[in-house]
């Protein structure tokens, strides 16, 4: 118990394969999402959310800063909420969240599918699913 | 099959994984809940029309909001704990304490949110 030596290997000695890479991506995308959500909350407060929106509206905007998420609030002018800055922030959040989420689904599937061929099929389906959701999401963000 | 288990359901539910296992399974349920919700929400917004509006109106129901906010908040706070402990492995010695801190953060924030959601639903 009194050992002070770390039992984990440094990154350089662990080697970097696809699983290790995705393990890292899962953590880094999580940190990126905290940052993007914080930017959305701060931006909403600067644009007047304190008096024009309730908690649920701010949350809806924070988790996806898309203009359709504030059109039913008391915000007087939607223009500041649909600038290229917010569309880029929303797109970044979409790509990061989709990658994180689809990889999470693959991890869960790997736990329950015993045949390696089945797991391989799930990988291909997940890639197609991820690209489809990224395209549809980006289309919705940039056309709304 | 992966789902076949050699213990009864009652024994499985009495599994003594305790706190860490509870966070693990809630993290999974929360992640799955969000993945399903966001997929259907994006598809419904894409399809639009009456069907899209109907599906998205389900998501505005206060009961659903209580569920999905549990998924989001627990996944976010538990994920932050996992990320911090993984990026600073020396903290792993205090993983049990980290889980207690996690609940100490989650319960008040989630409780407050549920109060606000129910208060709004009752016309407050």
């Amino acid at each position: 118990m009194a050992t002070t030596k770390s039992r984990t290997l440094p990154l350089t000695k662990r080697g970097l394969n696809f699983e290790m890479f995705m393990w890292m991506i899962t953590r880094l995308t999580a940190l990126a999402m905290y940052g993007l959500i914080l930017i959305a909350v701060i931006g909403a407060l600067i644009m007047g959310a304190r008096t024009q929106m309730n908690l649920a509206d701010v949350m809806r905007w924070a988790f996806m800063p898309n203009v359709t998420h504030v059109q039913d609030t008391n915000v007087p002018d939607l223009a500041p909420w649909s600038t290229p800055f917010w569309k880029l922030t929303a797109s970044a959040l979409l790509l990061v969240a989709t990658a994180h989420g689809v990889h999470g689904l693959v991890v869960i599937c790997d736990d329950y599918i015993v045949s390696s061929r089945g797991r391989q099929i799930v990988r291909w389906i997940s890639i197609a699913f991820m690209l489809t959701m990224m395209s549809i999401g980006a289309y919705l963000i940039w056309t709304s | 099959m992966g789902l076949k288990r050699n213990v009864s359901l009652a024994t499985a539910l009495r599994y003594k994984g305790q706190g860490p296992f509870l966070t693990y399974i809630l993290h999974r349920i929360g992640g799955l809940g969000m993945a399903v919700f966001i997929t259907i929400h994006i598809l419904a917004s894409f399809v639009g029309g009456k069907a899209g509006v109907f599906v998205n109106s389900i998501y505005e129901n206060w009961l659903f909001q209580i569920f999905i906010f549990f998924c989001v908040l627990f996944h976010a706070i538990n994920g932050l704990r996992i990320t911090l402990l993984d990026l600073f492995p020396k903290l792993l010695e205090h993983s049990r304490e980290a889980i207690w801190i996690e609940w100490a953060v989650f319960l008040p924030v989630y409780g407050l949110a549920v109060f606000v959601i129910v208060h709004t639903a009752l016309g407050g």
Side-chain angles (χ1 to χ4, degrees):
Chain A
M1 204 52 206
T3 160
T4 50
K5 192 165 167 283
S6 174
R7 278 173 295 177
T8 50
L9 282 171
L11 196 59
T12 45
K13 287 185 185 168
R14 262 182 275 177
L16 189 66
N17 55 18
F18 178 73
E19 300 304 327
M20 176 64 189
F21 177 73
M22 285 312 293
W23 180 89
M24 206 63 151
I25 287 287
T26 305
R27 269 85 190 150
L28 295 180
T29 49
L31 289 177
M33 280 188 280
Y34 294 120
L36 289 167
I37 290 171
L38 197 61
I39 290 173
V41 171
I42 293 172
L45 290 171
I46 290 174
M47 293 187 292
R50 192 175 70 82
T51 52
Q52 294 155 359
M53 286 157 80
N54 63 31
L55 179 68
D57 292 331
V58 176
M59 289 285 102
R60 195 173 297 137
W61 167 264
F63 290 125
M64 179 42 74
N66 188 20
V67 66
T68 52
H69 284 165
V70 290
Q71 65 187 9
D72 292 331
T73 64
N74 293 329
V75 171
D77 181 18
L78 287 176
W81 304 77
S82 56
T83 55
F85 172 78
W86 287 121
K87 289 193 188 297
L88 284 173
T89 310
S91 303
L93 191 55
L94 170 80
L95 299 186
V96 162
T98 314
H100 182 102
V102 171
H103 180 253
L105 293 179
V106 170
V107 169
I108 294 178
C109 288
D110 280 359
D111 275 359
Y112 296 105
I113 298 172
V114 279
S115 82
S116 60
R117 173 143 182 78
R119 285 196 296 270
Q120 198 61 43
I121 293 171
V122 163
R123 301 246 154 170
W124 287 112
I125 294 175
S126 77
I127 291 171
F129 174 67
M130 184 175 76
L131 295 176
T132 312
M133 294 316 290
M134 282 176 174
S135 314
I136 295 179
Y139 170 82
L140 286 169
I141 289 170
W142 289 91
T143 56
S144 63
Chain B
M1 283 302 292
L3 282 173
K4 192 178 170 193
R5 54 172 171 257
N6 294 322
V7 294
S8 69
L9 182 63
T11 313
L13 289 178
R14 262 187 275 114
Y15 172 68
K16 292 197 177 75
Q18 297 176 343
F21 177 73
L22 185 66
T23 61
Y24 156 83
I25 202 69
L26 287 178
H27 196 74
R28 222 158 234 217
I29 293 170
L32 263 180
M34 271 192 285
V36 172
F37 156 67
I38 295 171
T39 303
I40 298 176
H41 177 62
I42 291 178
L43 290 178
S45 307
F46 182 62
V47 172
K50 269 190 179 169
V53 171
F54 170 72
V55 171
N56 282 341
S57 71
I58 297 173
Y59 295 147
E60 285 162 21
N61 188 289
W62 62 280
L63 287 170
F64 184 83
Q65 287 187 344
I66 288 176
F67 166 73
I68 199 68
F69 195 65
F70 178 88
C71 293
V72 172
L73 193 67
F74 189 85
H75 202 86
I77 293 178
N78 193 47
L80 186 60
R81 173 184 67 85
I82 294 172
T83 306
L84 286 177
L85 263 58
D86 278 351
L87 294 183
F88 305 99
K90 279 185 180 169
L91 294 176
L92 278 171
E93 275 187 36
H94 310 287
S95 63
R96 295 246 168 199
E97 289 82 353
I99 290 174
W100 283 114
I101 296 172
E102 179 190 330
W103 283 111
V105 174
F106 173 80
L107 289 176
V109 176
Y110 184 63
L112 185 68
V114 168
F115 173 77
V116 170
I117 292 171
V118 173
H119 195 257
T120 311
L122 294 178

